[in-house]
Amino acid sequence: MVQKIEKKERMKIQRAQMPEQAPEERVRNFNEVPHGLTEEQALSEAQRCLECKKAPCIDGCPVEVDIPAFINLILEKDYAAAARKIKETNSLPAVCGRVCPQEEQCEIKCVLAKKFKPVAIGHLERFVADYERENDLVQIPAVAPPTGKKVAIVGSGPAGLTVAGDLVKLGHEITIFEALHKPGGVLVYGIPEFRLPKNIVQAECDAMRDTGVTFENSTIVGKMDTIDELFEQGYDAVFIGTGAGLPNFMGIEGEQLIGIYSANEYLTRSNLMRAFDEEGYDTPIIRGTNVAVLGGGNTAMDAVRTSKRLGADHSYIVYRRSEAEMPARAEEIHHAMDEGIEFHMLTTPIKFIGDEEGRVKQMECLKMELGPPDDSGRRRPVPIEGSNFIMDVDLVVVAIGNSSNPLIQSTTPGLETNRWGNITVNPETMQTSRPGVYAGGDIVTGGATVILAAGAGKKAARAIHQYLTNGAKPE
Amino acid sequence: MPRVVDNVQIGPMTWKMRVEVPRLVAKAKAGQFVIIRVNESGERVPMSIAGLNKDEGLLTIIYQVVGKTSALMTTVEGGGEISDCVGPLGVASHVENWGTACVVGGGIGIAPVYPIAQAYKEAGNKVISIIGARSKENLFYEKEHGEVADELHVCTDDGSYGHAGFVSDVLDKLLKDGAPIKMVMAIGPVPMMRVVTRVTKEYEVPTWVSLNPLMVDGTGMCGGCRVTVGGETKFACVDGPDFDGHAVDFDILTKRLNAYKEQERRAMKKFLDDPHCRLAESVRQFTYPGTK
Ligand SMILES: Cc1cc2nc3c(=O)[nH]c(=O)nc-3n(C[C@H](O)[C@H](O)[C@H](O)COP(=O)(O)OP(=O)(O)OC[C@H]3O[C@@H](n4cnc5c(N)ncnc54)[C@H](O)[C@@H]3O)c2cc1C
Ligand SMILES: Cc1cc2nc3c(=O)[nH]c(=O)nc-3n(C[C@H](O)[C@H](O)[C@H](O)COP(=O)(O)OP(=O)(O)OC[C@H]3O[C@@H](n4cnc5c(N)ncnc54)[C@H](O)[C@@H]3O)c2cc1C
Ligand code: SF4
Ligand code: SF4
Ligand code: FES
């Protein structure tokens, strides 16, 4: 137990700076950028928390992690207990500690945020989760006696994994169906190794397998069995966590040229198919010398930083609004800047130009200015007439979002969707228009965050358990 | 992991593999495809369905050795396993009774048009099949097509067997002679499909082609398989693979297929040059007969 110090003294402690790989070194490898806090740093950072009674930080967290309680356990040096405290409401702390947009969730609400810097909640969350995993302290949870009920989970992203983890503990028989050959969803195919090492996701899935969850990879529900057929096979409830689907393109001239990828394709080739590892894997990828990534979200930052690591001389972010409107996590933007990514703000491409072989070589762009706010409350970018200019590029990655994958909806009669094709649910129970069928994560909200997907999974698991123990079986 | 029942060579560069995937086979229809992965570090390769044995749950794929992954496939022995076989992917071929329908298969395309011919036949059509290969030794499935088709035409580019010339020449002649063909399904190399659509355009016969752009996931997630049809962007893995041949932009398709030529050549070379790799050794023997 660390000696507690006066509140006034606590406020004098500097926020811990996470050690990280130097930019010039890390742009040449795919290893994780921040190394994680040392134990000493974690203890010092934990001291900064004022253990507020009402703890506003908790309200900022979509799954209401008991932040002061877990930080207190750090001060008791019982790091595994701290990790378990977090896991009471968030099953993926090693992931969330790394990828949550803390600066707009838990940390922005921290009482220290106004006058000082907020407590580094995400860093601490990562610290305890890593400590637990690296020291083999992860406990296989006690599992309730079998209930005889079977639940099918479609998709193994954070939403599906959370539902599986919660329901298996309650004694239900759980099978996760995953279309790709590896489980994890965006955590494995989208977010790069240098931001979220894949062995962490693997460890989460392994722990779940050890608890009794069955994984059926390379199985596409809707193509193989439909939801109705799963019920016929004896499943009592189904959870749909199929994520955001089809990538959006710009819809401008020349988009079919070679060297124009969606972010999904580019990142899948590099992450899931491990094209960055030319020695060990066969996946080809276009490496590019001058790379433009279109967009300003996390996906765009991941793509542009990947391109630098794959050897680009110039990697550009081309974004139609200004830096203030960029939806990416602050940390990712800073990391990108440190790595020498060049930002072209208020710029939009209007045409791609190719060579005789059909490879992209240039991109015609327009400069934009910010007009009055639009529906999203952000100022709408408007093109400046006659501001056209040409950029030389040999690789373009389009990272402007996804629209929903229609596969499940189109093969499940009576499943209601909204006008964007997202599945509509009761926000309290995550139940869809079909009894016994629940949904959550990006397939409901459109592209959102890991913790929101996991939070939806929590809610759904609770409701599914209720339904299986009290509810009637659907006809 | 899916079990490979047998995997046999049926031509100089052509192999036939049967995989036991009963749940997939129960759902699969003619015109769809699967994606397989041979091993953990392998690529995901799309393969058309070339036969379905619903009773035994067996899927047949017929493949040509063109690069590293297809070469690796030849090394899987009967009784062995492959890492993954996912599907059925894509939309099944549209089938109705038009009266007389014609399937045209060129090269490796002879394989996927076979189950489609069967489906056309089952729907009550009179089926005319035209199959062609570079030479006699590259031809396969003649017997199978013969059993389904009401009328079978076989041709080779070099004239070593059957009619000398291209499948499109045969089709042109049939149409010229007034064959009552109401629908054509053509599968084969891009240049072949393009010529077939030119021929049928002239006679205004609706024509389906099955497109084979490069793919990654096969589920509509990556957009790598995008093709231009009637001026619109389509994802071949979910919207296709069959499209209206008269609306397809074959120029763009041809270019996009060459995206990784250089990298693929290097991967193959590196693989074959590795003196310690036992797999490479068996592939070397096969790809370059007589060399060790
Ligand atoms: C590049 C990138 C970076 C991101 N960075 C961050 C970040 O830093 N912080 C953050 O909080 N969020 C981030 N996000 C968003 C976050 O990853 C998603 O909101 C989250 O993963 C959604 O979880 P999910 O469970 O709904 O679906 P997903 O993670 O998308 O998983 C869905 C899974 O379902 C599978 N599936 C789909 N259809 C079927 C079917 N019919 N049958 C079987 N399986 C199917 C898919 O293959 C996939 O594996 C990022 C997203 C991307 C793309
Ligand atoms: C829907 C679909 C169905 C297919 N069905 C079959 C089939 O039944 N039998 C079969 O043999 N092949 C089929 N293919 C093509 C097959 O997937 C490729 O030949 C295979 O991926 C090549 O892998 P490789 O590593 O051996 O060669 P690579 O080293 O990847 O490529 C070698 C050469 O083949 C070309 N190539 C690569 N991918 C394709 C492709 N998708 N289409 C055409 N040429 C390609 C490359 O440009 C290169 O010139 C199909 C493709 C699609 C998209
Ligand atoms: S889950 Fe995310 S938002 Fe919640 S406390 Fe942890 S880092 Fe903060
Ligand atoms: S608001 Fe900040 S100081 Fe207060 S309990 Fe939460 S983390 Fe600690
Ligand atoms: S192969 Fe990825 S969308 Fe078609």
Side-chain angles (χ1 to χ4, degrees):
Chain A
M1 172 85 199
V2 175
Q3 193 67 43
K4 288 214 174 148
I5 52 176
E6 279 301 304
K7 291 216 166 141
K8 255 205 293 210
E9 292 300 310
R10 295 189 197 184
M11 288 188 224
K12 289 190 188 147
I13 305 173
Q14 291 286 318
R15 177 176 155 122
Q17 273 281 345
M18 200 182 276
E20 57 185 35
Q21 281 194 69
E24 50 298 349
E25 178 195 334
R26 71 190 190 227
V27 294
R28 278 181 272 131
N29 66 52
F30 274 82
N31 302 335
E32 190 172 18
V33 169
H35 296 304
L37 299 179
T38 62
E39 182 174 3
E40 209 177 316
Q41 283 182 306
L43 287 170
S44 153
E45 186 62 25
Q47 288 270 16
R48 295 182 63 226
C49 173
L50 304 177
E51 295 167 62
C52 311
K53 283 268 139 25
K54 279 201 175 141
C57 52
I58 299 180
D59 303 333
C61 170
V63 296
E64 297 174 10
V65 166
D66 192 342
I67 294 163
F70 99 75
I71 293 182
N72 197 41
L73 287 162
I74 296 180
L75 291 174
E76 288 181 16
K77 293 197 178 174
D78 194 348
Y79 309 125
R84 275 168 223 141
K85 175 56 80 187
I86 300 172
K87 283 183 178 173
E88 285 172 13
T89 59
N90 169 11
S91 35
L92 302 167
V95 175
C96 292
R98 287 173 166 82
V99 306
C100 265
Q102 290 95 5
E103 72 276 6
E104 45 190 73
Q105 294 182 348
C106 50
E107 292 183 15
I108 198 177
K109 293 280 176 72
C110 174
V111 292
L112 292 178
K114 280 192 205 90
K115 266 178 87 183
F116 307 92
K117 286 190 171 147
V119 173
I121 301 168
H123 290 2
L124 291 174
E125 188 162 324
R126 167 179 167 168
F127 172 78
V128 297
D130 286 357
Y131 185 93
E132 187 195 30
R133 188 185 64 257
E134 284 162 8
N135 293 290
D136 280 331
L137 297 170
V138 178
Q139 289 175 340
I140 303 295
V143 171
T147 59
K149 303 282 185 188
K150 284 171 68 175
V151 182
I153 291 169
V154 189
S156 62
L161 288 177
T162 302
V163 179
D166 283 8
L167 287 180
V168 75
K169 281 186 258 182
L170 296 165
H172 305 301
E173 193 182 321
I174 308 297
T175 306
I176 301 187
F177 298 99
E178 169 55 50
L180 294 171
H181 57 264
K182 266 201 192 121
V186 171
L187 307 183
V188 292
Y189 79 70
I191 303 181
E193 182 75 20
F194 57 81
R195 204 147 73 76
L196 178 63
K198 299 309 150 221
N199 63 6
I200 292 176
V201 185
Q202 190 59 50
E204 294 293 349
C205 295
D206 288 347
M208 247 169 235
R209 198 172 285 122
D210 292 343
T211 319
V213 173
T214 305
F215 285 85
E216 285 209 29
N217 299 336
S218 289
T219 306
I220 304 177
V221 174
K223 284 288 178 189
M224 198 94 104
D225 299 314
T226 62
I227 301 256
D228 287 293
E229 283 161 341
L230 289 174
F231 281 118
E232 282 163 27
Q233 289 164 19
Y235 286 95
D236 300 283
V238 177
F239 176 79
I240 306 170
T242 50
L246 321 174
N248 294 337
F249 283 92
M250 303 281 299
I252 59 178
E253 191 182 329
E255 209 151 27
Q256 313 294 2
L257 292 167
I258 301 169
I260 302 180
Y261 284 126
S262 75
N264 282 1
E265 178 175 5
Y266 185 60
L267 291 169
T268 301
R269 282 183 183 273
S270 181
N271 300 327
L272 179 75
M273 305 302 296
R274 306 192 84 73
F276 71 82
D277 177 2
E278 227 181 332
E279 289 304 308
Y281 288 78
D282 299 339
T283 313
I285 194 163
I286 297 171
R287 286 173 179 250
T289 310
N290 298 307
V291 183
V293 175
L294 316 180
N298 285 319
T299 310
M301 295 306 139
D302 285 346
V304 81
R305 296 174 68 200
T306 295
S307 74
K308 202 75 184 174
R309 284 162 174 75
L310 288 174
D313 289 343
H314 294 280
S315 295
Y316 312 108
I317 282 285
V318 176
Y319 183 53
R320 64 197 183 112
R321 302 179 194 254
S322 70
E323 199 186 316
E325 286 88 18
M326 287 213 289
R329 293 175 78 218
E331 188 185 345
E332 308 316 325
I333 298 172
H334 291 146
H335 275 145
M337 287 179 166
D338 290 347
E339 288 167 13
I341 305 301
E342 297 155 61
F343 285 70
H344 287 267
M345 294 293 119
L346 290 164
T347 304
T348 200
I350 51 169
K351 182 178 165 188
F352 301 109
I353 302 158
D355 64 14
E356 323 70 56
E357 287 181 11
R359 290 175 194 273
V360 65
K361 61 171 191 189
Q362 286 177 325
M363 182 167 93
E364 184 175 346
C365 298
L366 270 182
K367 296 297 279 177
M368 315 287 277
E369 59 193 351
L370 290 178
D374 62 12
D375 299 347
S376 72
R378 297 181 299 181
R379 292 179 63 194
R380 181 199 302 275
V382 278
I384 304 173
E385 217 173 303
S387 64
N388 307 45
F389 69 103
I390 300 275
M391 273 175 88
D392 286 336
V393 289
D394 54 2
L395 175 62
V396 176
V397 181
V398 184
I400 56 169
N402 298 285
S403 48
S404 63
N405 187 334
L407 186 58
I408 296 285
Q409 296 88 312
S410 66
T411 54
T412 313
L415 190 68
E416 277 169 23
T417 56
N418 66 14
R419 67 186 158 114
W420 297 283
N422 294 114
I423 298 175
T424 44
V425 295
N426 171 333
E428 295 310 313
T429 62
M430 310 311 283
Q431 197 203 303
T432 66
S433 54
R434 290 274 311 260
V437 181
Y438 298 75
D442 285 359
I443 188 63
V444 168
T445 54
T449 62
V450 171
I451 193 64
L452 283 171
K458 281 263 160 220
K459 273 193 200 168
R462 220 174 294 140
I464 292 172
H465 181 60
Q466 276 271 320
Y467 169 77
L468 292 178
T469 38
N470 310 327
K473 221 181 137 167
E475 265 90 88
Chain B
M1 297 205 295
R3 196 171 75 91
V4 172
V5 177
D6 46 30
N7 186 19
V8 292
Q9 189 166 4
I10 59 168
M13 286 300 204
T14 314
W15 288 61
K16 172 174 157 185
M17 181 189 272
R18 291 194 302 161
V19 192
E20 193 175 25
V21 274
R23 279 167 64 202
L24 188 157
V25 167
K27 285 285 167 163
K29 291 209 173 80
Q32 290 185 295
F33 64 99
V34 300
I35 287 184
I36 70 167
R37 249 176 21 122
V38 177
N39 56 25
E40 166 49 33
S41 59
E43 279 191 86
R44 297 168 63 94
V45 287
M47 286 289 155
S48 310
I49 290 172
L52 293 166
N53 179 334
K54 301 250 172 191
D55 298 332
E56 292 173 52
L58 299 183
L59 161 78
T60 304
I61 53 185
I62 292 188
Y63 61 97
Q64 212 157 25
V65 176
V66 293
K68 181 173 169 187
T69 308
S70 45
L72 257 185
M73 283 170 69
T74 65
T75 65
V76 182
E77 285 174 20
E81 285 176 337
I82 51 175
S83 290
D84 296 88
C85 178
V86 60
L89 300 168
V91 182
S93 293
H94 177 75
V95 179
E96 60 178 89
N97 186 353
W98 297 280
T100 300
C102 175
V103 301
V104 185
I108 200 77
I110 294 173
V113 291
Y114 170 63
I116 295 173
Q118 282 180 315
Y120 282 0
K121 183 79 194 167
E122 270 162 37
N125 290 287
K126 175 177 181 230
V127 176
I128 301 175
S129 297
I130 308 172
I131 60 172
R134 252 181 316 173
S135 64
K136 177 164 194 266
E137 52 176 2
N138 287 295
L139 198 70
F140 59 92
Y141 261 30
E142 185 188 356
K143 183 169 140 278
E144 283 81 351
H145 274 283
E147 284 163 9
V148 175
D150 296 281
E151 198 180 309
L152 174 66
H153 301 268
V154 181
C155 47
T156 50
D157 297 359
D158 66 356
S160 53
Y161 186 72
H163 171 88
F166 299 118
V167 283
S168 47
D169 303 336
V170 177
L171 178 63
D172 195 14
K173 177 147 194 319
L174 286 173
L175 290 168
K176 194 175 286 156
D177 294 347
I181 296 170
K182 292 287 174 306
M183 178 60 66
V184 170
M185 174 83 218
I187 310 183
V190 176
M192 172 225 131
M193 292 192 283
R194 169 183 280 202
V195 176
V196 166
T197 58
R198 277 199 200 126
V199 169
T200 57
K201 180 101 192 151
E202 202 177 309
Y203 299 92
E204 291 176 25
V205 181
T207 303
W208 292 98
V209 291
S210 175
L211 302 187
N212 52 358
L214 305 182
M215 294 186 175
V216 183
D217 58 306
T219 68
M221 179 269 278
C222 79
C225 63
R226 58 196 192 277
V227 291
T228 307
V229 182
E232 274 181 59
T233 297
K234 299 277 180 195
F235 290 1
C237 71
V238 285
D239 300 324
D242 295 357
F243 292 99
D244 172 1
H246 297 142
V248 168
D249 186 327
F250 286 106
D251 276 338
I252 291 179
L253 179 66
T254 308
K255 285 181 177 156
R256 286 184 65 83
L257 277 170
N258 288 329
Y260 304 105
K261 262 229 156 89
E262 192 44 38
Q263 293 189 27
E264 278 150 355
R265 202 190 50 76
R266 260 188 287 136
M268 186 67 179
K269 183 159 184 317
K270 207 174 93 198
F271 173 61
L272 287 174
D273 289 350
D274 181 351
H276 306 297
C277 177
R278 300 232 337 265
L279 283 181
E281 192 171 300
S282 54
V283 173
R284 266 198 300 274
Q285 285 176 352
F286 159 64
T287 318
Y288 308 113
T291 56
K292 185 105 193 184

